[in-house]
């Protein structure tokens, strides 16, 4: 169930009540004394943000020098409560010029009480969007002298934005050049054996957008995902086109996406917010195209020497290239020094992390590079015991490449004025947890 908060308190570090609001009559006004006595005075504030005292639960969070405490008397959604606190603090900061501390609260009692009445009704969270609330709560807070004055915006129709379906975009936007930037950013997570077999692999991705569009445009995004292509072929009564299709898992959307249309047509349709935002997130576990394969060989040459050979192959297209490639090969703590031979880039021994660090600024596709190193170890009297070696770690960025194979088939923009738009699409794949056992 939702939060169903009975009361909310704002306390300073001494436990003094700065401001509070009671939403239900199922708790007494002295509940803050129980929080102060059983939690603050026992110095258990840092152990767990959720505590039960008697028949009530306390959810609390420290922001700057202020504790925000929510009191509930029934079973409630803890994650929703903390989400409410975070969104409420962001709202207060937008009114106070970016500051939220004890002084900001003392200087804005009236405004805070008015906001608390709007953002929570009978203990249930309501609209916390600063853009919407500022349309009809126009009082300005006492700002910090270090905060910058916000830019003046024309006030659009508040009733339309509060009751309508587009609360994330204001009316009256106008740009000389209408542009849309779309980035597909993916992180590859890999665990590979020393012989090159994949033990675990998945891709987490997100679609980032930056929109500079006039009016109230309606956008439609088409991807080469399996469900969307099959639905399109079904609606058009024709067979699915041949080519790679992607099965997306764990998809989450921005609130601007029309979920009703997505469920029926399997297309991503939305009225975008102005500026930059994250349109969707997804995960892929099958059919991952690994950008690199790493083949390590590590040999012990007696008690004081070891030989390390690492071969790295780029699997992506020959016209592409990777940037900022870093390979970290772990070595024993008693390493004294290391000598290297590399076909590209530079390598050195980093004693602070006990690794051989091989850096390649630009790695072309369909090529391979090797590093050979001879490591000298400090002689110790302790007999060497066999132990599990940490995996080799890799970092990289590959522009215009997606490990999942996800591609944008189309990005359409409709607006009643019929202006022309310029669409920009980019792809980038980064290393997440990219590890190879040695």
């Amino acid at each position: 169930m939702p939060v169903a908060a009975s009361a909310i308190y704002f306390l300073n570090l001494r436990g003094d009540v700065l401001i509070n609001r009671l939403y239900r009559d199922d708790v007494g006004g002295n509940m803050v004394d129980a929080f102060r006595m059983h939690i603050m005075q026992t110095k258990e504030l840092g152990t767990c943000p959720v505590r039960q005292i008697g028949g009530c639960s306390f959810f609390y969070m420290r922001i700057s020098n202020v504790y925000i405490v929510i009191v509930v008397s029934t079973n409630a959604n803890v994650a929703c409560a903390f989400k409410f606190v975070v969104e409420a603090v962001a709202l207060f900061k937008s009114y106070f010029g970016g500051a939220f501390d004890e002084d900001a609260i003392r200087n804005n009692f009236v405004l805070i009480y008015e906001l608390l009445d709007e953002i929570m009704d009978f203990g249930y969270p309501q609209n916390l969007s600063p853009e919407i609330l500022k349309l009809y709560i126009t009082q300005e807070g006492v700002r910090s002298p270090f905060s910058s004055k916000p830019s003046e915006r024309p006030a659009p129709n508040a009733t339309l934005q509060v009751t309508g379906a587009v609360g994330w975009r204001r009316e009256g936007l106008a740009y000389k050049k209408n542009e849309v930037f779309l980035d597909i950013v993916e992180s590859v997570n890999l665990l590979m054996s020393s012989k090159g077999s994949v033990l675990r692999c998945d891709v987490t991705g997100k679609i980032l957008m930056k929109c500079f569009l006039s009016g109230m445009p309606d956008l439609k995004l088409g991807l080469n995902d399996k469900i969307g292509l099959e639905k399109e072929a079904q609606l058009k009564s024709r067979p699915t086109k041949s080519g790679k299709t992607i099965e997306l898992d764990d998809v989450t959307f921005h609130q601007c996406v029309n979920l009703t249309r997505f469920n029926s047509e399997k297309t991503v349709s939305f009225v975008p917010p102005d500026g930059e935002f994250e349109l969707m997130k997804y995960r892929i576990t099958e059919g991952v195209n690994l950008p690199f394969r790493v083949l390590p060989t590590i040999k012990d040459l007696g008690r004081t020497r070891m030989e390390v050979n690492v071969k790295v192959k780029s699997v992506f297209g020959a016209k592409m290239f990777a940037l900022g490639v870093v390979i970290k090969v772990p070595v024993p703590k008693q390493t004294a020094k290391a000598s290297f031979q590399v076909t590209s880039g530079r390598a050195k021994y980093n004693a602070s992390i006990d690794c051989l660090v091989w850096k390649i600024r630009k790695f072309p596709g369909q090529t391979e590079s090797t590093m050979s190193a001879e490591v000298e170890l400090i002689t110790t009297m302790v007999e060497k015991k066999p132990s599990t070696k940490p995996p080799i770690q890799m970092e990289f960025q590959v522009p215009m490449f997606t490990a999942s194979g996800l591609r944008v088939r189309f990005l359409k923009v409709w607006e009643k004025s019929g202006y022309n738009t310029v669409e920009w699409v980019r792809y980038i794949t980064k290393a997440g947890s990219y590890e190879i056992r040695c």
Side-chain angles (χ1 to χ4, degrees), residues 68-178:
I68 302 177
V69 185
I70 292 180
V71 184
V72 298
S73 61
T74 58
N75 188 20
N77 189 325
V78 179
C80 182
F82 287 121
K83 178 67 174 178
F84 170 82
V85 172
V86 172
E87 294 292 337
V89 171
L91 173 65
F92 295 146
K93 286 183 177 181
S94 69
Y95 273 93
F96 306 157
F100 181 79
D101 50 24
E102 183 176 351
D103 292 335
I105 293 176
R106 292 186 182 277
N107 293 332
N108 295 277
F109 278 132
V110 176
L111 177 58
I112 293 177
Y113 272 119
E114 188 173 359
L115 290 173
L116 289 177
D117 287 337
E118 292 293 339
I119 63 179
M120 185 168 278
D121 183 21
F122 196 59
Y124 295 104
Q126 305 297 310
N127 198 334
L128 288 99
S129 172
E131 290 77 11
I132 293 178
L133 289 171
K134 285 185 178 181
L135 298 178
Y136 55 94
I137 300 182
T138 57
Q139 176 184 346
E140 293 188 1
V142 178
R143 297 179 178 273
S144 167
F146 302 102
S147 63
S148 58
K149 186 177 181 180
S151 58
E152 295 293 333
R153 290 182 174 181
N157 189 338
T159 305
L160 174 63
Q161 296 235 3
V162 173
T163 61
V166 189
W168 51 86
R169 183 181 180 89
R170 63 189 180 92
E171 294 180 315
L173 293 172
Y175 291 97
K176 292 183 178 179
K177 186 176 182 181
N178 294 283

Side-chain angles (χ1 to χ4, degrees), residues 126-376:
Q126 305 297 310
N127 198 334
L128 288 99
S129 172
E131 290 77 11
I132 293 178
L133 289 171
K134 285 185 178 181
L135 298 178
Y136 55 94
I137 300 182
T138 57
Q139 176 184 346
E140 293 188 1
V142 178
R143 297 179 178 273
S144 167
F146 302 102
S147 63
S148 58
K149 186 177 181 180
S151 58
E152 295 293 333
R153 290 182 174 181
N157 189 338
T159 305
L160 174 63
Q161 296 235 3
V162 173
T163 61
V166 189
W168 51 86
R169 183 181 180 89
R170 63 189 180 92
E171 294 180 315
L173 293 172
Y175 291 97
K176 292 183 178 179
K177 186 176 182 181
N178 294 283
E179 294 181 294
V180 179
F181 299 86
L182 186 147
D183 293 341
I184 295 183
V185 182
E186 294 187 344
S187 297
V188 188
N189 303 307
L190 169 72
L191 180 60
M192 181 181 290
S193 70
S194 59
K195 297 182 180 180
S197 60
V198 177
L199 304 177
R200 185 180 69 247
C201 182
D202 67 88
V203 173
T204 56
K206 55 186 176 181
I207 297 181
L208 305 176
M209 296 195 68
K210 187 181 293 185
C211 296
F212 302 106
L213 299 173
S214 305
M216 280 287 181
D218 190 8
L219 276 66
K220 187 175 182 181
L221 173 65
L223 304 171
N224 62 331
D225 62 296
K226 183 177 180 180
I227 298 177
L229 288 173
E230 290 178 351
K231 188 66 176 180
E232 180 180 353
Q234 179 182 349
L235 292 175
K236 295 183 178 181
S237 299
R238 64 186 184 189
T240 306
K241 293 182 179 180
S242 60
K244 183 175 181 180
T245 58
I246 311 300
E247 292 193 28
L248 301 179
D249 301 323
D250 303 334
V251 180
T252 58
F253 293 107
H254 187 274
Q255 62 172 336
C256 67
V257 175
N258 188 329
L259 296 181
T260 303
R261 188 180 298 179
F262 178 78
N263 291 330
S264 61
E265 303 177 10
K266 301 303 177 185
T267 58
V268 183
S269 303
F270 57 99
V271 177
D274 186 43
E276 189 172 355
F277 66 100
E278 183 179 280
L279 178 65
M280 61 180 285
K281 293 190 293 185
Y282 59 89
R283 189 171 66 92
I284 292 174
T285 56
E286 297 180 357
V288 177
N289 302 316
L290 296 177
F292 288 98
R293 285 195 174 272
V294 182
L295 301 175
T297 304
I298 299 178
K299 297 180 180 179
D300 292 328
L301 306 177
R303 296 172 59 90
T304 60
R305 290 173 59 237
M306 62 185 298
E307 187 179 76
V308 178
N309 293 290
V310 179
K311 180 185 291 186
V312 180
K313 296 181 179 181
S314 57
V315 187
F316 47 87
K319 295 183 179 180
M320 301 179 185
F321 54 86
L323 299 174
V325 178
V326 180
I327 300 99
K328 297 179 182 179
V329 183
V331 292
K333 292 183 178 293
Q334 64 269 26
T335 299
K337 63 178 182 178
S339 57
F340 300 91
Q341 287 184 349
V342 295
T343 57
S344 61
R346 295 182 179 181
K348 68 176 182 179
Y349 167 58
N350 190 330
S352 62
I353 58 175
D354 297 319
C355 285
L356 307 179
V357 181
W358 181 18
K359 295 183 179 181
I360 303 174
R361 187 177 64 86
K362 189 174 182 179
F363 201 124
Q366 297 297 319
T367 60
E368 67 178 43
S369 296
T370 58
M371 178 194 73
S372 299
E374 189 172 307
V375 180
E376 295 186 14

